[in-house]
């Protein structure tokens, strides 16, 4: 099965959930100073795939759709919750 641009963009949108899950595990399960640094690094790296997908949509003049809104909302909400937990 060949990968299409749409499949790649959908996977880029969905990958934010993986980064948020990995950051959550680092923050909550491991709970060391190094794990907190790794958690923040994973969280901020989680912004790269959705922003790349957004750039692809802008270049191609496509609408991001619901997946884009959900991906960015998940990152924003969990970023706020992580910040509250570590402030």
């Amino acid at each position: 099965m060949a990968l299409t641009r749409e499949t790649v963009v959908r996977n880029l949108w969905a990958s934010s959930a993986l980064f948020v899950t990995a950051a959550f595990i680092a923050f909550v399960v491991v709970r060391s100073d190094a794990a907190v640094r790794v958690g923040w690094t994973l969280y901020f790296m989680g912004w790269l795939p959705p922003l790349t997908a957004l750039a692809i949509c802008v270049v191609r003049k496509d609408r991001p759709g619901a997946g884009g809104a959900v991906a960015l909302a998940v990152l924003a909400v969990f970023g706020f919750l992580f910040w509250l937990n570590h402030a």
Side-chain angles (χ1 to χ4, degrees):
M1 180 193 293
L3 287 177
T4 64
R5 182 195 56 80
E6 182 180 345
T7 304
V8 172
V9 171
R10 284 184 182 181
N11 286 327
L12 286 172
W13 288 126
S15 67
S16 62
L18 297 174
F19 284 98
V20 167
T21 303
F24 179 79
I25 290 170
F27 288 137
V28 175
V29 176
V30 180
R31 290 188 181 205
S32 68
D33 290 336
V36 170
R37 285 191 301 273
V38 168
W40 282 116
T41 302
L42 287 168
Y43 168 73
F44 286 118
M45 286 175 49
W47 281 91
L48 294 176
L51 291 178
T52 303
L54 186 62
I56 291 170
C57 288
V58 167
V59 168
R60 299 225 180 228
K61 297 181 180 168
D62 289 339
R63 294 185 62 127
V70 169
L72 296 174
V74 163
L75 284 166
V77 167
F78 275 91
F80 180 70
L81 293 174
F82 292 156
W83 175 76
L84 283 178
N85 195 29
H86 292 95

